[in-house]
Structure formats: C-alpha cells, structure tokens
Amino acid sequence: MYVIIIGGGRTGASLAVRLLKRDHEPVIVEKDERRAHELAAELDALVIHGSGSDLDVLKDAGAEKADAMAAVAAADEVNFMSCKLGKELGIDRVVTRVNDPKHASMFEDLGVDAAISFVDAAAALYEKAVTGPGMYGLLGFGGGGAEVVEVSVVEGSQAVDRTIRELTLPRLCTVAMITRRGELIPPRGDTEFKVGDQVILAGKSDDVMPVAKLFRGK
C-alpha cells in the first residue's frame, strides 16, 4: 500500500517503521524542516517538508495514487484539513488522530474512516491496568460515546452455555469476536458462550458496560 502520513512526530515515525516492515510504501509529510531532514536520514522512505493542510504538498506526496492517509499531526486543525483534502483527492481510506476528544464528531461528520482519540485510547489502557483481569478497555471512539472492550466469560456468569440470541443484547451492543482456547469463533445467533471465552464487545458505552458485567458475573 502507498500510505501518506501527515506528521513526523513519534507516532508518525513509528507508523512509518511498522509499514516499512510489512513492505508497504509510506510517505511522511512533516512541517518542521529540521525534523523532516532527520526522518529522511533515519528512514528508507520519502519525506516531504511541508504542511498536510496544503493541497500542493499533498499532490507532491502522491495523494492521487495513495491507497490510504493517516493524519497524526499534533494539531487537530492540520489533521482536519489534511483529511478533507485527502477525501477530495479520492484517497480510499483516511484515518486521523484526534488530540482533543471534543473534536471527534467533527472528523466523523467529515467522513473519515477512523478517528482515533489518543486521550480515550490512553484512558482505556489505564482502565485495563486498574480493573485487573476480567475486563479490558481496548478503544474509545465517537467522542467517548462508544467503545470496544474485551471481557472474559467466568464461571457463574449468566452467559455460560447460553447463545447470543438467548442473551437478547441491547440494540447498540454487538459481539464482535470470540476467542476460545486460542481459536477465533465467529459470533452467530446460535453461538454458545463457554467459561474462559474472551469476548470482544463494541457499541454504545451505556450498553456495552452492563453486558460486560453480565459476562464477568459481577
């Protein structure tokens, strides 16, 4: 894949390294000239000095042939304009970093494919650390109104030996995937839950958390 990365900070550089290891072709757009030169010396990737909010810079970066764009600059304003221009230039997949969770809906209204809030993601990791085994926050999105969590099915929970259909989950809570003894189980209406299953739930926060507690038996 040909991927344009807006912002050459730690996130952008790390993403570029990961993409290179998987034989993708990342291009970094970095506004700071000194940082751009550093990246060009460190990475086996094209680095362009300029702003991702500049149409000509994006064209120089090859936006018209890009498969995807990741806007991970430190300023939401730059990410927003980069995403807007990327969509207008026809880039198939556009994802962005959201530095202020209050701006998440703005990016979603723009039609980006994924708006990832670093604040929400960090909070989810801290939640995983403090709640201990049983339930882990994986990702928050939609300005904090929705999230993805992983929960273990424990002995004595109401979910054991019952199917997804029998649980009658809330409309805005979905079982995304089940892992059983290292094997992925695609969730269907007649899929039964077993003790030890790891279940990934996604949906509205107010619906996801009660369902997660149901699996935990608490």
Side-chain angles (χ1 to χ4, degrees), residues 13 25 32 76 127 154 180 188:
E25 187 178 357
D32 183 89
D76 283 343
E127 178 189 5
V154 300
R180 180 176 299 155
R188 302 288 185 266

Side-chain angles (χ1 to χ4, degrees), residues 179-215:
T179 304
R180 180 176 299 155
R181 294 188 293 275
E183 180 182 355
L184 293 178
I185 308 295
R188 302 288 185 266
D190 58 355
T191 301
E192 287 189 353
F193 296 102
K194 301 297 181 182
V195 174
D197 284 355
Q198 296 295 120
V199 182
I200 295 180
L201 302 171
K204 185 179 178 183
S205 300
D206 292 343
D207 289 337
V208 168
M209 299 317 293
V211 175
K213 291 178 180 179
L214 180 153
F215 285 116

Side-chain angles (χ1 to χ4, degrees), residues 1 14-26:
M1 293 178 64
S14 296
L15 176 57
V17 169
R18 292 178 66 89
L19 290 171
L20 285 167
K21 287 181 177 178
R22 289 159 179 76
D23 295 324
H24 297 300
E25 187 178 357

Side-chain angles (χ1 to χ4, degrees), residues 33-156:
E33 185 174 6
R34 180 177 178 181
R35 177 59 177 165
H37 284 304
E38 290 176 350
L39 291 168
E42 295 171 2
L43 301 175
D44 185 21
L46 175 63
V47 179
I48 294 179
H49 171 229
S51 173
S53 61
D54 187 315
L55 178 61
D56 290 334
V57 170
L58 290 182
K59 287 183 176 180
D60 288 342
E64 294 174 345
K65 66 176 182 179
D67 300 296
M69 170 192 284
V72 293
D76 283 343
E77 295 81 1
V78 172
N79 291 334
F80 182 85
M81 283 305 301
S82 300
C83 292
K84 185 175 186 296
L85 293 173
K87 284 291 186 181
E88 291 175 355
L89 289 168
I91 299 177
D92 287 337
R93 185 163 183 79
V94 177
V95 302
T96 186
R97 165 181 176 172
V98 182
N99 299 286
D100 187 338
K102 292 184 294 185
H103 295 159
S105 59
M106 175 178 71
F107 285 98
E108 290 166 2
D109 290 342
L110 184 62
V112 299
D113 297 283
I116 301 171
S117 167
F118 274 33
V119 173
D120 288 341
L125 291 176
Y126 284 116
E127 178 189 5
K128 176 176 180 178
V130 301
T131 57
M135 182 172 68
Y136 308 128
L138 299 179
L139 178 66
F141 57 97
E147 58 188 303
V148 179
V149 302
E150 180 181 355
V151 61
S152 300
V153 179
V154 300
E155 187 74 50

